[in-house]
Amino acid sequence: MFPLRTEYYEQLEKLVKPFNLVSGQPYDPTERSLEILKAETCGRSLRFEKDGLRTNIPFLFEKQDGTYKAIYPYCSTAPKESLLNGLVIDTMICQACGVEVSEHEFLYLNSSYVRQDNPKPSDFFKITSHLKKKRGGFTRLSATEQIQQKMGSVTFEQLVDMANKLSNSTLDDYCVRRVSSCTRPNKCPYYEECFHEQQLPDYASAFLSSSSSREWIEEKGIERLGDITSDLFEGTPMQYAQIKADQNGGVFMDDQAIRYWMKQIEYPICYLDFEWETFAIPPYVKMKAFDVLCFQYSMHIENEQGELDHKTFFATGDCRKDFIEHLLEDIPDHGSIMVFNMDGAEKLRLRQLANQFPEYRVQLEQVNNRMIDLQAPFENGCFYDLRQRGKSSLKTLMPLFSACASYDQLDIHNGMEAVFAYRETLLENDPCKVQKIGERISDYCSMDTYAERELFLGLKKKLEEL
């Protein structure tokens, strides 16, 4: 899910406006870009094409020696080393068109800037000539120095030849190689073509969680999770649970571990869920680049008799203080706060709000200290059902425990749709329409907290059935 970039483009335009740069247009011939550089000595969005290879350079400025500086804006907190090969190709295409790019700089977001009143466009940005390494820190050599090194190993003619071979080839011409990045949570668009997961049975060995030896297991002809031996996997609790589930008829449950986990839970139980938006440029005072704004919460509060009370919040604009104050007012002053994936979501949101509004820090930390992660028994391998197919999200688990909570009848079915709906409110001037959108988002968020409760009760029921 990309962060909202509307203000990023606005602030970038304000930053470059004083240069009065002439802009190229889509499908411009190279000659048009060269004319702009000759007349203005600089330009933006200039298109260059040679022998079928083409590129577009965001900003070009002529230097005193007749060569050019290229400036690339990036909507991130650092230009990454993975950009290098693309920069090499850009530079070679420009060179083949008679434009010598001898310097590269990158305009990126200032992650340390905390927004104040009346900010200047330059407050939001930083500039560098270096790329950030994968493991942190910037490279010792500048991007230009690295580009020159790489250009020494390939000619433009060879680059054209490689591009032609690639464009005229099919997938059958290549040996598909699977690497560890193939199975990361953010899967590539061709994941299903390589792994065919939808066609696999629930017990397939391909669903082994976080396994670096998944390819090796497949090569050995092992098709079932239950047939994987201890020497073929890392031995994580989740992997153990998956293998045991296949060996035990489809479900594995460490009842003692789950009972121990449940001992910490106290009534009233508050099932809690937030919805939020991420902003590339901080939109409000005290926010930083890529901070989030919580605009919605839902809580279902259950007492020992099983009675439910439901409270919800939705607002637009800078609603941070309202969010905090309503949350602290609605949430019970004792008992457990049940959250699904609390460390990766709600806890982070409250810590960020505590940093922005330190006057609420103590109360927000107390809320965090009472949180219990409903995902923990599933992530830690205390429970696994083969129908999970390697996943442990709330929507994956819910149908295994209850048929009462369903997202099918809702207008919004997942968190991404909730964010897109919220973005509609930012463009909508009609208060009635904003209210209706807010109700749709609230219905979705409320289903999440109701599903949390159903999941917890379902887990308790499975223990009682033993």
Side-chain angles (χ1 to χ4, degrees):
M1 181 64 183
F2 292 110
L4 193 60
R5 302 182 180 190
T6 306
E7 191 174 2
Y8 167 79
Y9 295 114
E10 293 174 357
Q11 295 294 341
L12 181 62
E13 286 302 313
K14 291 178 182 178
L15 189 68
V16 302
K17 186 176 181 180
F19 295 99
N20 294 315
L21 298 172
V22 176
S23 180
Q25 300 299 321
Y27 307 109
D28 270 353
T30 300
E31 290 73 22
R32 173 58 182 156
S33 298
L34 295 175
E35 288 171 4
I36 292 174
L37 290 178
K38 184 177 180 180
E40 306 291 339
T41 71
C42 57
R44 65 180 299 182
S45 299
L46 299 182
R47 185 176 182 273
F48 298 94
E49 182 173 359
K50 183 72 172 179
D51 294 342
L53 298 184
R54 57 183 177 269
T55 190
N56 189 291
I57 309 298
F59 301 101
L60 274 176
F61 295 86
E62 188 175 11
K63 301 169 63 176
Q64 289 185 349
D65 62 1
T67 63
Y68 289 85
K69 176 196 290 188
I71 299 180
Y72 291 80
Y74 283 103
C75 187
S76 70
T77 54
K80 297 179 175 58
E81 202 172 23
S82 58
L83 301 170
L84 186 58
N85 287 336
L87 295 169
V88 172
I89 295 172
D90 281 0
T91 305
M92 294 181 73
I93 294 173
C94 288
Q95 186 181 68
C97 294
V99 176
E100 188 72 31
V101 180
S102 62
E103 187 176 356
H104 302 75
E105 288 187 336
F106 310 95
L107 194 66
Y108 64 103
L109 293 175
N110 184 356
S111 61
S112 61
Y113 173 67
V114 179
R115 183 159 186 159
Q116 305 299 321
D117 290 321
N118 304 314
K120 304 185 298 295
S122 58
D123 292 334
F124 298 108
F125 297 95
K126 297 178 73 173
I127 196 161
T128 182
S129 58
H130 292 256
L131 298 170
K132 190 174 183 180
K133 295 182 288 188
K134 185 180 293 186
R135 297 187 177 180
F138 284 85
T139 56
R140 179 179 59 84
L141 296 177
S142 70
T144 301
E145 290 171 320
Q146 294 184 76
I147 289 168
Q148 293 300 325
Q149 285 184 351
K150 282 185 170 285
M151 286 176 62
S153 61
V154 62
T155 66
F156 182 74
E157 290 72 21
Q158 290 173 321
L159 185 64
V160 171
D161 184 56
M162 286 188 286
N164 288 334
K165 287 181 179 178
L166 184 62
S167 62
N168 294 324
S169 62
T170 65
L171 191 61
D172 295 333
D173 297 324
Y174 296 91
C175 177
V176 177
R177 184 170 62 92
R178 300 179 185 177
V179 295
S180 59
S181 59
C182 291
T183 54
R184 288 175 182 169
N186 295 324
K187 297 179 175 63
C188 83
Y190 303 101
Y191 178 82
E192 184 58 32
E193 288 186 35
C194 291
F195 288 90
H196 308 290
E197 278 194 358
Q198 294 181 4
Q199 303 172 24
L200 296 176
D202 295 342
Y203 56 74
S205 60
F207 294 123
L208 186 65
S209 173
S210 304
S211 176
S212 61
S213 56
R214 185 181 300 180
E215 183 76 6
W216 186 29
I217 291 171
E218 185 177 329
E219 289 176 357
K220 292 179 74 69
I222 299 175
E223 297 181 353
R224 298 193 66 116
L225 287 165
D227 293 335
I228 299 175
T229 55
S230 59
D231 59 315
L232 296 179
F233 68 101
E234 290 82 355
T236 68
M238 172 59 83
Q239 293 171 340
Y240 177 82
Q242 290 180 289
I243 293 169
K244 285 299 180 183
D246 189 23
Q247 294 173 348
N248 295 342
V251 176
F252 168 80
M253 185 165 66
D254 186 341
D255 60 294
Q256 291 187 353
I258 296 175
R259 291 182 199 279
Y260 181 80
W261 174 79
M262 285 191 172
K263 283 184 178 180
Q264 64 185 316
I265 299 169
E266 299 177 355
Y267 284 91
I269 301 174
C270 177
Y271 303 93
L272 183 64
D273 183 69
F274 296 168
E275 302 296 333
W276 60 85
E277 170 65 294
T278 306
F279 293 84
I281 292 280
Y284 304 116
V285 171
K286 299 182 182 179
M287 294 180 72
K288 298 166 68 173
F290 295 102
D291 269 356
V292 305
L293 178 75
C294 294
F295 57 81
Q296 163 76 44
Y297 70 68
S298 169
M299 62 177 75
H300 276 89
I301 304 167
E302 181 181 17
N303 62 23
E304 287 191 76
Q305 290 72 43
E307 298 170 334
L308 277 182
D309 185 21
H310 181 232
K311 298 182 182 295
T312 187
F313 172 91
F314 173 82
T316 57
D318 187 3
C319 59
R320 290 172 294 166
K321 288 193 71 170
D322 281 347
F323 182 93
I324 295 171
E325 290 171 357
H326 279 83
L327 179 73
L328 295 177
E329 180 181 346
D330 287 345
I331 210 161
D333 59 8
H334 65 284
S336 298
I337 301 171
M338 192 78 73
V339 180
F340 198 87
N341 184 28
M342 66 180 188
D343 290 320
E346 279 72 13
K347 270 196 172 184
L348 288 178
R349 308 288 81 87
L350 293 187
R351 286 180 187 137
Q352 179 183 293
L353 286 169
N355 290 333
Q356 295 170 2
F357 300 94
E359 64 269 31
Y360 297 103
R361 184 182 301 278
V362 173
Q363 297 107 303
L364 294 177
E365 286 180 350
Q366 288 172 347
V367 171
N368 268 351
N369 291 337
R370 291 164 53 200
M371 282 190 187
I372 294 175
D373 195 349
L374 181 57
Q375 191 179 32
F378 306 97
E379 283 286 292
N380 297 337
C382 299
F383 180 93
Y384 187 79
D385 187 309
L386 289 180
R387 290 173 292 174
Q388 292 177 227
R389 297 170 69 86
K391 302 174 182 177
S392 56
S393 67
L394 181 60
K395 292 178 180 62
T396 298
L397 294 166
M398 191 59 245
L400 309 181
F401 292 87
S402 172
C404 296
S406 174
Y407 295 82
D408 295 339
Q409 75 274 20
L410 301 178
D411 292 331
I412 294 174
H413 305 94
N414 55 58
M416 289 183 64
E417 291 182 8
V419 171
F420 286 131
Y422 171 75
R423 290 181 181 179
E424 289 182 41
T425 68
L426 304 181
L427 304 173
E428 184 57 66
N429 296 320
D430 186 341
C432 292
K433 290 184 179 179
V434 171
Q435 181 181 351
K436 289 181 180 179
I437 294 172
E439 289 172 357
R440 288 162 47 206
I441 297 173
S442 295
D443 288 343
Y444 164 74
C445 191
S446 299
M447 184 60 75
D448 271 350
T449 52
Y450 186 73
E452 288 175 354
R453 186 218 182 205
E454 288 294 294
L455 183 57
F456 177 66
L457 294 180
L459 198 58
K460 286 181 65 177
K461 184 177 180 181
K462 287 189 179 294
L463 285 177
E464 294 166 0
E465 292 172 348
L466 291 178

